Amino acid sequence: MSKSARNKDARKPKDALTQRETPWGAIAFFTLIGLVATVAIGYAFMQSRPSSADGSASIAGMVIKDDLGRNHTSSPVDYANNPPMGGDHDSAWQNCNGRVYDTPLRNENAVHSLEHGAVWITYRPGLAAAQLDALKAKVTGTDYTFLSPYPSLDAPIALSAWGRQIKLQDASDKRADEFLRAFVKGPQTPEPGAPCDGAKDTP
């Protein structure tokens, strides 16, 4: 037998032994554990971050109010904010699928719509026609929104969702669209999936 043949034969057991000792099962197991741990750590990090999923952190001038009452009542409610952005309310919601109302609404019905995920756009009477038309265009093209005048409003325009509100000087303010994107059926909604029609259809 040649020297090269003897060397080849001598290597065979060593190669076979090396293959038998590679712990592929353990490698796969620990790789899986590492992957699971990475996902878990990433999830925990996302949960620990300050919540801005509802757009609150990115919209300048946002007013936020949490822990609002949600009881039904047929009596008038003395709301802390004007217009209100949540609280106890009438059992009938105001129809709000892209509705434009020409006269003021009853607060207690409008607040119920906010509970369902609607955004209520209000404006001070006397708002310039071009601005009012811009607001109407936003509402008529967007479900779960409604528009009405609000005589005691202390700003030209206000957008209200459940526990969220912003007041604006001009309908062209980009924050109006940001608010709509963030809060129409947004994460602040106490009753997601609840309807926005089939209830009160008049002011």
Side-chain angles (χ1 to χ4, degrees), residues 7-74:
N7 290 340
K8 185 177 179 181
D9 290 342
R11 284 198 302 268
K12 285 183 179 178
K14 184 178 179 181
D15 291 343
L17 183 61
T18 300
Q19 288 179 345
R20 286 196 300 272
E21 289 181 350
T22 302
W24 293 114
I27 289 171
F29 174 76
F30 286 111
T31 299
L32 180 61
I33 292 297
L35 187 60
V36 170
T38 300
V39 171
I41 291 169
Y43 177 79
F45 172 74
M46 294 299 292
Q47 293 298 308
S48 67
R49 294 170 59 198
S51 177
S52 60
D54 63 2
S56 299
S58 62
I59 302 178
M62 177 75 65
V63 175
I64 301 172
K65 191 171 182 65
D66 295 320
D67 301 321
L68 295 163
R70 292 178 53 203
N71 295 318
H72 286 180
T73 178
S74 58

Side-chain angles (χ1 to χ4, degrees), residues 127-180:
L127 186 69
Q131 294 212 44
L132 183 54
D133 287 344
L135 295 178
K136 289 179 178 179
K138 293 179 189 300
V139 168
T140 54
T142 309
D143 288 343
Y144 280 76
T145 63
F146 58 121
L147 172 71
S148 72
Y150 203 92
S152 59
L153 187 60
D154 60 0
I157 300 165
L159 284 79
S160 305
W162 187 270
R164 307 288 186 271
Q165 188 175 81
I166 191 165
K167 293 182 178 179
L168 307 174
Q169 297 298 312
D170 194 288
S172 65
D173 192 316
K174 66 179 183 179
R175 291 176 295 171
D177 291 333
E178 291 174 1
F179 192 98
L180 291 169

